[in-house]
Amino acid sequence: MNKEFIISTLLIVCFSVKAEIVPKPQEVIDSKNLTITEMSINDSSPIDYNTVQTSGCDIVTYTSFSPKGITTSPAQSIPASQWLCMFDTDTYKNGYDTGSYPEKISFNKKTKLWEVRQTGISFKGSSTYVKLKLYNIQSPNSSGFAVVDENINKHDQVLYRDKDLKKLIHFCMIHDIYALCGTGNLTTRINNKDVDLTSNALKSLETIRLKNQIH
């Protein structure tokens, strides 16, 4: 059996022991077609690490599960255009709410889970509204949510510099009083074909470890 395949499989199993994604992604990742890399997020990362609100997230590590043939940095397995370290109180308070959708993502204090709630807002986009896809994520030392948003408008296309933008991911992972949040484009091009990174991004979020000063 291929040695690289064995190592890849063991890494996935090990990270699954103390981690969980609810609901599980529909697409199963084929470990034979992955490049698995240990990553860290700090001041020298290729992606902007914004610690203006707080630097309490310290150095963050995770495992990147990138499709072989991807032309961007392995860090794009979690396709964040910017990492943002925040206080958990703001994350619990704000969740994910655009202010223009009939849905938002909020934290349920009783169940300790993130959930989709109705806002009563009428969607005024140019296309039919697509329901948000929410995932509750537990990593080895943090928990949080990821939401997939397919309601793309012209502002998004300009912001992410992609006229063919199809879907975005927004996420926050919380450890102690700190939250690491980010947002980014969930598709990339490999061999002139669109590749959906949703399952890869979720699997990587499942491995996040925040190494802050509170233990």
Side-chain angles (χ1 to χ4, degrees):
M1 185 178 290
N2 186 283
K3 183 177 179 181
E4 183 178 353
F5 172 73
I6 295 175
I7 295 173
S8 299
T9 303
L10 287 173
L11 278 169
I12 292 175
V13 170
C14 289
F15 277 112
S16 298
V17 173
K18 295 183 180 180
E20 185 179 21
I21 304 172
V22 179
K24 292 183 179 180
Q26 293 181 343
E27 181 184 355
V28 178
I29 298 178
D30 184 357
S31 58
K32 293 182 293 185
N33 295 320
L34 293 177
T35 298
I36 301 177
T37 311
E38 297 303 313
M39 306 294 297
S40 63
I41 309 166
N42 51 45
D43 293 338
S44 62
S45 298
I47 300 174
D48 184 21
Y49 185 21
N50 188 326
T51 57
V52 173
Q53 184 177 116
T54 174
S55 59
C57 297
D58 199 8
I59 297 175
V60 179
T61 61
Y62 70 94
T63 304
S64 169
F65 300 94
S66 295
K68 290 183 177 179
I70 195 169
T71 57
T72 54
S73 163
Q76 295 301 307
S77 171
I78 301 180
S81 55
Q82 181 185 70
W83 302 98
L84 177 64
C85 188
M86 304 172 58
F87 288 111
D88 67 328
T89 50
D90 291 333
T91 302
Y92 285 127
K93 177 182 177 181
N94 299 327
Y96 178 64
D97 185 3
T98 66
S100 60
Y101 288 178
E103 300 176 311
K104 65 180 181 179
I105 305 303
S106 300
F107 186 69
N108 187 320
K109 294 181 180 180
K110 291 184 179 180
T111 63
K112 304 298 182 183
L113 294 172
W114 296 89
E115 60 185 24
V116 180
R117 293 179 182 173
Q118 301 301 309
T119 64
I121 296 174
S122 297
F123 183 62
K124 297 180 180 179
S126 58
S127 57
T128 303
Y129 179 75
V130 180
K131 290 186 177 181
L132 300 175
K133 294 182 179 67
L134 170 66
Y135 299 89
N136 276 272
I137 301 177
Q138 177 67 54
S139 79
N141 80 339
S142 59
S143 62
F145 73 89
V147 57
V148 176
D149 186 348
E150 298 181 66
N151 299 287
I152 306 302
N153 56 41
K154 291 183 179 180
H155 173 74
D156 295 324
Q157 293 173 339
V158 173
L159 181 64
Y160 292 92
R161 300 177 182 178
D162 186 353
K163 62 182 179 61
D164 298 317
L165 186 66
K166 294 178 176 63
K167 60 168 65 175
L168 297 169
I169 188 171
H170 302 265
F171 61 84
C172 285
M173 297 297 292
I174 301 170
H175 176 61
D176 291 324
I177 64 171
Y178 303 107
L180 179 75
C181 300
T183 183
N185 186 348
L186 270 180
T187 58
T188 189
R189 299 282 292 179
I190 298 179
N191 297 325
N192 295 319
K193 294 182 179 179
D194 286 330
V195 176
D196 191 327
L197 294 174
T198 301
S199 294
N200 305 77
L202 292 173
K203 191 64 184 175
S204 291
L205 287 172
E206 194 182 21
T207 68
I208 274 188
R209 290 177 181 269
L210 279 70
K211 296 181 178 179
N212 57 52
Q213 301 301 314
I214 297 179
H215 302 283

